[in-house]
Amino acid sequence: MKKRLFSGIQPSGDVHIGNYLGAIKNWVRMIEQYECIFCIVDYHAITIEYEPKEMQRRILNAAAVNIAAGLDPNRCIIFVQSHVAEHTELAWILNTITPMGHLERMTQFKDKAKQHRENINAGLFTYPVLQAADILLYKGKAVPIGEDQVQHIELAREIARKFNMRYGETFPEPQEVLSEAPRIMGLDGKTKMSKSLGNYISLVETPESIWKKLSTAVTDENRKRRTDPGNPEICNLFTLHKHFSKKEQIDRINVVCRSAEIGCIECKKILSENIVEALTHIRCKYEQLIKNSDQLSDILHAGAKKCKDIANSTMAEVKKKMGLV
Ligand code: TYM
């Protein structure tokens, strides 16, 4: 029996190379080894302001990009959270054993509450409980995520432990799995690459747009003139080179940047070519998939159907243990 893996992504904007390097690349890598369930978490996405008319397109986009990036629906389950009502049912139950104090400590809640002062709703506050329900509903053991989600997985573990103590052994404690790039910074070099901050390169960005975005991206800010030596260690784009460029190129840049033999523009051109090369097949596959929304819907509904079976059986067990029969 393979161990079960669960992870999710919000349909809240373009899927970007931070999502890819921090999570999706690991998802693809782990498909063989685990029984994988990937979820497009639309109920999480509605905790911030959004345009209802846009949501369906965003969900299909997220599905198409992830499939194009390597989530083969014949080898894993991919589905939409709101298609399986048991997520919110279990979340309600888990709400009753989650201390308010734990939720108040969540850094993502604090950040989002600052960003969306006009809409600090209860859903934003209990967001991590729904995330715990997502994982525990399937008794997921491995959860590949970026660094920003680690605190939520720690809470999911605590919630699982608490449920097991109160009602009897039911849930395994989920473990986060981090990639070698758990926190990719945005092109501004200052904040985490993020869908909402617009500081990203999307996974389906065109070559022209990749170059346009990189050409204005922040590098080593101490390097004011072309003739100044640069410091790759503090250059955000050098980090991206480490993930997209060939070893010889990385080694060379590490030397010629420091000696000012190469300028930032030339260095960015090399990076741009390598990112284009890495993403082209994803963009082409995405463009084919997105043309056929019926086929995408079929994939998502088939995924939800498989999830329903697992979810029903977990909920029956949970309710029985809780005396809710
Ligand atoms: P979301 O949609 O913000 O991001 C999806 C995945 O991408 C990772 N990620 C990053 N990794 C490295 N560098 C970055 N700049 C970067 N930005 C995003 C995220 O850590 C995440 O792994 N709450 C989750 C979705 C979720 C979920 C779940 C995840 C809901 N239920 C259950 C795991 C298990 C979120 O907002 O991810």
Side-chain angles (χ1 to χ4, degrees):
M1 273 279 276
K2 286 182 181 174
K3 271 210 266 180
R4 195 170 281 152
L5 176 155
F6 185 97
S7 203
I9 187 162
Q10 293 195 63
S12 54
D14 294 334
V15 179
H16 53 69
I17 57 173
N19 298 128
Y20 182 68
L21 297 172
I24 302 167
K25 209 170 158 193
N26 252 354
W27 300 354
V28 177
R29 194 176 57 77
M30 294 170 89
I31 281 187
E32 213 45 70
Q33 225 182 321
Y34 290 82
E35 182 194 343
C36 293
I37 306 181
F38 300 108
C39 185
I40 296 166
V41 292
D42 51 352
Y43 277 157
H44 278 113
I46 61 171
T47 57
I48 56 171
E49 279 300 323
Y50 74 101
E51 181 50 65
K53 286 201 285 288
E54 287 276 294
M55 191 47 110
Q56 197 182 356
R57 189 187 56 79
R58 281 185 175 189
I59 291 171
L60 291 176
N61 256 341
V65 176
N66 278 286
I67 295 170
L71 298 191
D72 176 356
N74 295 316
R75 293 160 68 225
C76 65
I77 297 179
I78 177 161
F79 79 109
V80 180
Q81 188 182 34
S82 66
H83 292 181
V84 182
E86 286 78 3
H87 285 249
T88 41
E89 190 181 9
L90 182 59
W92 176 258
I93 288 173
L94 300 182
N95 266 326
T96 65
I97 56 165
T98 307
M100 296 273 284
H102 285 21
L103 294 175
E104 276 159 8
R105 284 206 291 273
M106 295 292 122
T107 45
Q108 186 172 303
F109 170 68
K110 289 192 239 173
D111 290 348
K112 288 211 172 160
K114 258 188 234 152
Q115 260 177 47
H116 306 278
R117 276 180 211 284
E118 70 302 333
N119 182 20
I120 307 178
N121 59 75
L124 198 60
F125 187 63
T126 58
Y127 177 116
V129 183
L130 179 58
Q131 183 160 348
D134 293 341
I135 304 164
L136 300 183
L137 190 56
Y138 303 99
K139 303 194 177 185
K141 288 191 177 151
V143 189
I145 40 152
E147 195 180 75
D148 60 341
Q149 297 301 315
V150 170
Q151 202 185 23
H152 289 169
I153 308 308
E154 282 165 1
L155 181 68
R157 265 201 298 279
E158 279 180 54
I159 294 175
R161 210 172 300 144
K162 196 143 180 215
F163 187 96
N164 292 345
M165 271 168 47
R166 173 85 176 81
Y167 298 109
E169 196 61 31
T170 310
F171 299 118
E173 290 182 22
Q175 292 296 328
E176 65 272 14
V177 179
L178 292 179
S179 74
E180 71 281 9
R183 185 182 166 86
I184 293 291
M185 298 301 284
L187 298 177
D188 52 10
K190 291 187 180 63
T191 44
K192 191 193 67 161
M193 187 172 283
S194 145
K195 298 183 196 107
S196 58
L197 297 176
N199 60 0
Y200 61 80
I201 292 179
S202 117
L203 269 193
V204 296
E205 200 93 50
T206 61
E208 299 73 40
S209 177
I210 291 175
W211 170 243
K212 200 164 162 219
K213 287 190 173 180
L214 280 179
S215 61
T216 55
V218 173
T219 54
D220 165 7
E221 286 190 297
N222 296 329
R223 193 175 188 191
K224 307 267 185 257
R225 289 176 301 259
R226 165 68 182 81
T227 48
D228 290 344
N231 182 358
E233 274 143 48
I234 56 168
C235 176
N236 184 36
L237 295 193
F238 188 63
T239 313
L240 292 182
H241 268 295
K242 287 188 192 153
H243 296 291
F244 288 103
S245 299
K246 292 169 201 74
K247 176 150 190 331
E248 313 84 80
Q249 292 175 316
I250 301 166
D251 291 345
R252 179 173 165 267
I253 289 165
N254 198 13
V255 175
V256 294
C257 168
R258 289 175 203 274
S259 61
E261 282 166 74
I262 188 175
C264 291
I265 294 288
E266 199 187 325
C267 184
K268 285 174 171 182
K269 281 201 175 127
I270 300 170
L271 179 61
S272 180
E273 275 167 22
N274 290 334
I275 295 184
V276 168
E277 195 184 319
L279 301 190
T280 297
H281 75 281
I282 298 180
R283 186 168 44 83
C284 293
K285 181 126 200 253
Y286 163 82
E287 278 164 7
Q288 281 170 5
L289 286 163
I290 205 68
K291 275 191 218 141
N292 196 342
S293 57
D294 287 349
Q295 189 196 1
L296 278 174
S297 295
D298 288 350
I299 291 172
L300 295 172
H301 283 114
K305 199 158 170 273
K306 289 186 198 149
C307 285
K308 270 244 164 230
D309 290 341
I310 309 172
N312 275 330
S313 123
T314 306
M315 285 316 295
E317 183 187 351
V318 163
K319 286 184 173 171
K320 189 161 177 236
K321 287 192 167 140
M322 295 178 74
L324 302 170
V325 209

